[in-house]
Amino acid sequence: MKALYPGSFDPITNGHVDVIKRITRIYDDLIIAVLSNQDKTVYIPLQDRVKLIRQSLKGMKNISIETFSGLTVDYAKSKNVDVIIRGLRAPSDFEYELEMSQINYFLSKGLETIFIMTNPKFSFIRSSRIKEVAILGGNVKEFVPLPVYKYLYQKIRKRPNM
Ligand code: PNS
């Protein structure tokens, strides 16, 4: 079975990596799909986000990293995926995810979204918070893969507080 894990990945975090590892234990193939046409402003350019995902998942098998625009369900159909996967960190994610999975189910006439509950160790990690903390000089080393950590502080041109 083939799974699709769509998202902004701005940037990929340890929470995403945890979900990805767990998906690959269940499904034979995984496409990580990075959204390119976004209304919300992104901090990291698309090709850099893809490169950071690739570097962060080095050595992992049966994963392809792609970019997509338009509807997730149309992309899922074009790739013949069996399920969409999303991570759920906390009850606060639920409303947004419920709505998204229901509209996707409706639009696709039956494509299921399967949720992976984030490891509690990562439940407070979200990309937007990571960027905020890093930009303000906090240290996010524990929360992101090493390539992302290096990229962020290079972009910010500041060393994190220790
Ligand atoms: O990582 P994110 O930002 O929570 O991911 C959100 C994403 C990319 C999965 C969502 O915005 C999405 O599917 N966008 C594509 C447009 C779409 O299909 N919209 C209808 C369903 S909400």
Side-chain angles (χ1 to χ4, degrees):
M1 294 250 280
K2 197 198 267 189
L4 178 75
Y5 185 32
S8 310
F9 303 100
D10 186 37
I12 186 169
T13 67
N14 287 345
H16 292 124
V17 174
D18 175 62
V19 169
I20 290 165
K21 282 185 184 154
R22 291 161 64 191
I23 302 171
T24 58
R25 280 185 219 130
I26 303 170
Y27 294 96
D28 308 307
D29 288 300
L30 170 64
I31 300 173
I32 299 174
V34 187
L35 184 66
S36 68
N37 63 322
Q38 237 155 355
D39 344 327
K40 64 177 179 186
T41 358
V42 288
Y43 182 63
I44 303 176
L46 181 66
Q47 288 314 325
D48 288 356
R49 280 182 276 148
V50 169
K51 195 168 76 186
L52 289 171
I53 297 172
R54 188 159 294 123
Q55 292 170 347
S56 303
L57 303 179
K58 215 170 163 192
M60 288 181 65
K61 299 212 165 39
N62 304 327
I63 295 178
S64 64
I65 303 154
E66 319 261 344
T67 61
F68 78 106
S69 56
L71 289 174
T72 295
V73 289
D74 287 343
Y75 183 71
K77 203 164 144 197
S78 76
K79 293 285 172 179
N80 285 317
V81 304
D82 300 291
V83 286
I84 295 174
I85 307 279
R86 295 282 292 169
L88 267 184
R89 286 168 295 212
S92 53
D93 281 342
F94 183 74
E95 221 169 301
Y96 169 70
E97 294 296 338
L98 174 71
E99 191 185 298
M100 195 155 67
S101 65
Q102 286 175 330
I103 192 153
N104 283 341
Y105 186 82
F106 182 85
L107 290 172
S108 67
K109 301 184 178 62
L111 182 64
E112 299 289 359
T113 302
I114 305 284
F115 292 97
I116 299 236
M117 305 302 154
T118 307
N119 184 323
K121 212 159 68 178
F122 303 124
S123 63
F124 60 93
I125 300 178
R126 68 176 65 239
S127 301
S128 53
R129 198 64 72 204
I130 298 286
K131 286 174 283 188
E132 181 187 352
V133 171
I135 290 166
L136 296 175
N139 195 334
V140 299
K141 195 166 188 176
E142 302 288 314
F143 311 140
V144 291
L146 194 59
V148 174
Y149 173 76
K150 289 185 179 157
Y151 178 94
L152 281 178
Y153 292 101
Q154 228 164 41
K155 190 170 165 77
I156 295 160
R157 294 180 184 285
K158 221 159 70 174
R159 282 171 63 83
N161 301 330
M162 292 299 167

